[in-house]
Amino acid sequence: MAVVTEYIILNDELPQADCGYVRSLLESGSVVGEILRVGLRRQDVSCYLLLPRGWDLENIDDDSRVGYYSADGGFDFGKAGSANSEGWICLSDGRYVVDMDYEKLAGVLDRLDVDVVCVNVAPELAAYHEKIRLDSQGDVAGFRRLYTDESRRCAVPNKQPHRTYIKSTAWRQLAEDRIIPVEYTLLQRRCGESGLSMAGVEMAGAILDLESEKDLLRFYQCYLKKHISSQTVVTGEGVQIADSARLFGAVILGSNVVVEKNVILSGPVMVGDNCHIGAGAVVCSAVLGTDVDVPAGGQISRRVILKHDDIDRISQSHFFHGNADLNIRFGHEEAHRYRCWARFSYGGIFKRFADIVFASVFLLLMLPLLPIVAILIKLDSRGPVFFRHKRQGRHACDFGCVKLRTMMVGADDIQARLRKKNEVDGPQFKIDNDPRISRLGDFLRETCIDEIPQFYNVLVGQMSVVGPRPSPEQENSLCAQWRDGRLSVRPGITGLWQVCRTREAGQDFQEWITHDLKYVRNLSWQLDLWICWRTFVQLVTKFLQQF
C-alpha cells in the first residue's frame, strides 16, 4: 500500500472569535504559525493544505502546497499526478493530528476490498491498555489487556473521520470536471452516486485536537522535541534580549521581539512577531501569538495566548496556569516504565564493560571443552548441537538465546501435551523426570554446562552475566508492570532469583517477580559480585553431586 498524496483539510466549524486556534495562528504569519503549518504535514508523503476559500491567508499564498476550496463545491485537483498513480489518496481532518502504526494500517487497507476507507483513531485500542470488565451486577468479571496495537471494523461514520483513504481508481471516478467534494457528507453522497464501496475502521494510536489549548501545547512540544535541541534558542530579525534575561530549554522567538531585563523564559516557549515581554516576567511552556504584550512581573504558564486581549480576559492577576499536562507522550512510542541509569554509572556503562571482559575470558577458557561436549551431544541423540530460542532482551528487543541442546527434537510441540503436569506456578514450565530431556541433557542442565554458549549472547550485547532470567514474550506479557521493570536491564545467565529461590510449592512465580524487581531496584557492582559468588558455590556443589 502506498499513500501517493495527503490533502489536509482545515474547516471553518469554529468561529474565529470563539476559539479558532488553527486559523488565528496561520493568519499570524509568524514563526509560530509557520511551525504549525509545517508540523501538520507528514514527512514521508506529499502533503497539501486545503483551506476554506474565505480565509484568504495572504502570508501563505506563495506556498504551492496550499490550496483553497469552497464548502458547497469542492477543490479543483486539476491534473495532479496523484490522480494518475496507483495507491491511495488521503483526505485528512486538519483539526486533528494523529499518530498510528502506518505499517499496520497498510495491511488493513490491503485486506479490505473496498474503494473508500474511513479511519478514526481510537486511543483505547493502543498497546498496554487495560480495562476492567464488569458483569450485569457491577462486579468484576475480568480484565482485558492489550499488548499490541489493535484495529477493528466499524460502521461508516456520519461525520468527517480523521482520515479518509480513497483508491486512485476510485479517485478518478469521483472527479467531475476535475472537482472533488471536500465536505464529508457531499463526498459520501458522491461515493453512493458513483457506486463506490465504503468501509469504516478504527485504529490504535494517539490524537491531538488542535482546537484544544492542552493538545495544542503538546503539539508544539512534540515538534520541538523532534526537530530542535532541548537547549536551543532560535531568534528572528530585530530581536532584543536584555543581558539579565535568562532563557532555558527550547525557545523560539519571532521577529521584533523585545525581552526586557530579568525575564525568565523556560522552554518549550514559542513567541510570535512583535511581542513585548516586560521586566521580571516569567513565561513557562507557553505559546504567544503576534503583538502580545506580557506586563512587567506577569507570569504565563502552560497557556496559549493568541492576542493581547486574551491576557486581560483570562486573568486579572497576571498569573495564569492551565491544565495542560506536557509530560504526556504523544507519538507512537510505547509508554514503558523502564528504569534508566546515568551514562557514566555502573548500570549505564561499566556493567557492560565488565560483561565484555568476563565473557571474553570465560569463552577462551571453555573453548577446548565445547568440541568434546558437541561430539557427546551428537552421539547421545539426533539433532543439532546448539538450540536457539526467541527471548526478550533489554527494552523488549527480541534475540536468539543460544544453549547447548539438552532435549529431543520437537520438544516445544510435546510441551503442550505435558502442560497439565506442570509442577511450578505462573507461566513457567517444569516437571521432574521430563521425558523430553536426553540422557546427556540432564547432566548438562544440572551442571549448567548447557548455558556456556550464552556467553556469546553476552559478548554481542544481548545478555549480561548477571540479570533477570531471559524469558519469551508470552511469559513477560502476563504482568505488564513487572515486564517493564525486569526488561530495564539485559537478561542474565545468572541472577538474584536463581540463587535465592526456595522452590516452595505455589511460590515460584511470586519469588521470580520479587527477586527480579529487587535486582533492578538495587543494581550495583556489589550485588553482582555477591550473585556471582553464590552462583559459583552452587555450581561447584551441583557438579560434585553428579558423582
Side-chain angles (χ1 to χ4, degrees):
M1 188 279 295
V3 176
V4 180
T5 308
E6 181 172 344
Y7 294 99
I8 302 168
I9 304 169
L10 298 174
N11 56 54
D12 216 0
E13 292 180 356
L14 291 176
Q16 188 177 3
D18 267 359
C19 188
Y21 284 129
V22 174
R23 178 173 180 178
S24 297
L25 289 170
L26 290 177
E27 285 181 331
S28 71
S30 67
V31 64
V32 183
E34 177 66 19
I35 290 176
L36 175 61
R37 179 153 52 105
V38 174
L40 285 173
R41 297 168 174 154
R42 283 178 57 193
Q43 302 300 313
D44 56 340
V45 176
S46 297
C47 290
Y48 298 84
L49 288 181
L50 299 185
L51 311 177
R53 196 169 299 281
W55 285 21
D56 292 331
L57 307 184
E58 297 179 359
N59 58 292
I60 61 175
D61 282 345
D62 57 344
D63 191 337
S64 61
R65 293 184 296 174
V66 174
Y68 294 94
Y69 69 90
S70 58
D72 56 347
F75 179 71
D76 185 352
F77 290 91
K79 297 181 180 180
S82 61
N84 299 314
S85 304
E86 295 302 322
W88 296 80
I89 287 85
C90 176
L91 301 180
S92 302
D93 186 348
R95 173 174 174 172
Y96 300 96
V97 177
V98 301
D99 186 47
M100 53 186 164
D101 188 338
Y102 287 101
E103 291 186 5
K104 186 180 289 288
L105 173 63
V108 172
L109 294 180
D110 288 340
R111 288 193 300 270
L112 292 175
D113 187 21
V114 294
D115 301 304
V116 181
V117 181
C118 302
V119 178
N120 276 318
V121 173
E124 65 273 13
L125 295 179
Y128 301 99
H129 272 69
E130 186 176 86
K131 285 189 175 182
I132 299 176
R133 293 184 176 269
L134 305 178
D135 59 19
S136 58
Q137 306 299 319
D139 297 325
V140 175
F143 294 86
R144 180 174 184 262
R145 183 180 297 151
L146 302 180
Y147 289 99
T148 59
D149 289 348
E150 287 194 349
S151 62
R152 64 189 178 196
R153 289 286 298 271
C154 63
V156 175
N158 295 321
K159 63 179 183 178
Q160 182 170 337
H162 299 139
R163 296 284 188 271
T164 304
Y165 291 91
I166 306 172
K167 281 185 178 178
S168 294
T169 52
W171 183 269
R172 293 190 283 271
Q173 285 182 251
L174 286 173
E176 291 183 1
D177 299 327
R178 305 188 308 182
I179 303 294
I180 290 183
V182 172
E183 205 278 323
Y184 178 66
T185 56
L186 296 178
L187 181 65
Q188 270 187 307
R189 188 185 308 165
R190 181 75 63 83
C191 288
E193 294 170 351
S194 303
L196 300 176
S197 55
M198 300 182 69
V201 173
E202 290 183 334
M203 291 286 302
I207 182 170
L208 298 178
D209 181 358
L210 297 183
E211 294 298 350
S212 158
E213 184 179 39
K214 172 183 175 180
D215 284 0
L216 187 59
L217 284 168
R218 291 171 64 193
F219 167 82
Y220 278 110
Q221 183 196 41
C222 292
Y223 180 89
L224 294 182
K225 182 179 179 180
K226 182 176 181 180
H227 297 282
I228 297 177
S229 169
S230 59
Q231 298 297 326
T232 299
V233 177
V234 180
T235 60
E237 298 180 355
V239 174
Q240 302 177 38
I241 303 177
D243 293 339
S244 59
R246 289 173 289 172
L247 282 64
F248 305 97
V251 176
I252 296 182
L253 306 178
S255 301
N256 304 316
V257 173
V258 177
V259 180
E260 294 191 0
K261 61 181 182 179
N262 298 324
V263 166
I264 296 177
L265 301 182
S266 178
V269 169
M270 283 132 291
V271 180
D273 299 342
N274 307 316
C275 289
H276 185 279
I277 303 178
V282 177
V283 181
C284 174
S285 301
V287 176
L288 305 182
T290 57
D291 303 311
V292 174
D293 292 339
V294 180
Q299 298 183 21
I300 298 177
S301 174
R302 298 182 178 182
R303 296 306 303 254
V304 177
I305 310 295
L306 295 181
K307 49 187 179 296
H308 181 70
D309 293 345
D310 290 342
I311 291 183
D312 297 328
R313 178 171 59 85
I314 293 175
S315 174
Q316 300 175 351
S317 63
H318 300 308
F319 179 86
F320 358 101
H321 84 235
N323 298 320
D325 184 357
L326 296 182
N327 294 319
I328 299 177
R329 291 186 179 185
F330 174 74
H332 207 65
E333 303 174 1
E334 299 179 32
H336 294 293
R337 294 183 175 88
Y338 296 135
R339 185 185 173 188
C340 299
W341 285 266
R343 182 174 180 82
F344 294 102
S345 64
Y346 178 71
I349 189 172
F350 297 116
K351 179 177 172 66
R352 175 65 187 139
F353 178 76
D355 284 338
I356 294 174
V357 173
F358 190 93
S360 301
V361 173
F362 188 84
L363 285 175
L364 287 174
L365 293 175
M366 293 294 107
L367 197 58
L369 177 65
L370 285 177
I372 300 174
V373 177
I375 294 173
L376 292 176
I377 291 175
K378 295 297 289 186
L379 293 174
D380 181 62
S381 61
R382 181 179 58 87
V385 173
F386 297 101
F387 171 73
R388 185 184 295 268
H389 196 264
K390 186 177 179 181
R391 302 294 175 95
Q392 283 192 322
R394 185 169 178 258
H395 295 176
C397 294
D398 293 330
F399 72 97
C401 184
V402 185
K403 300 179 70 173
L404 293 170
R405 184 177 59 83
T406 59
M407 291 186 174
M408 66 178 65
V409 176
D412 285 344
D413 299 329
I414 302 174
Q415 179 176 312
R417 300 199 299 268
L418 298 173
R419 174 62 66 177
K420 61 183 179 181
K421 297 182 179 180
N422 190 17
E423 297 173 358
V424 294
D425 61 332
Q428 306 171 80
F429 177 82
K430 180 177 174 58
I431 59 175
D432 288 334
N433 302 316
D434 194 329
R436 302 172 302 159
I437 300 178
S438 64
R439 290 172 298 175
L440 179 64
D442 188 56
F443 174 79
L444 296 178
R445 283 179 166 231
E446 287 298 322
T447 57
C448 295
I449 294 176
D450 64 318
E451 297 183 358
I452 291 177
Q454 289 182 8
F455 283 93
Y456 166 78
N457 294 118
V458 174
L459 202 59
V460 298
Q462 297 167 338
M463 292 180 62
S464 177
V465 175
V466 181
R469 168 183 172 270
S471 52
E473 181 180 8
Q474 183 180 9
E475 294 182 5
N476 290 326
S477 64
L478 292 182
C479 184
Q481 302 306 319
W482 168 55
R483 170 192 185 278
D484 291 348
R486 71 190 306 271
L487 295 182
S488 297
V489 297
R490 293 179 179 86
I493 297 176
T494 185
L496 190 62
W497 173 67
Q498 287 91 324
V499 299
C500 293
R501 62 191 297 190
T502 63
R503 298 188 183 273
E504 293 183 13
Q507 297 296 318
D508 213 45
F509 183 55
Q510 288 80 356
E511 289 184 356
W512 185 12
I513 294 176
T514 300
H515 291 309
D516 279 358
L517 293 183
K518 183 178 180 180
Y519 175 77
V520 174
R521 283 195 302 266
N522 301 290
L523 177 65
S524 65
W525 64 269
Q526 296 96 327
L527 179 60
D528 278 4
L529 284 178
W530 181 82
I531 293 174
C532 288
W533 169 249
R534 287 290 303 271
T535 302
F536 175 76
V537 172
Q538 289 184 3
L539 286 176
V540 173
T541 303
K542 285 184 177 181
F543 186 80
L544 294 177
Q545 289 174 351
Q546 303 303 309
F547 303 97

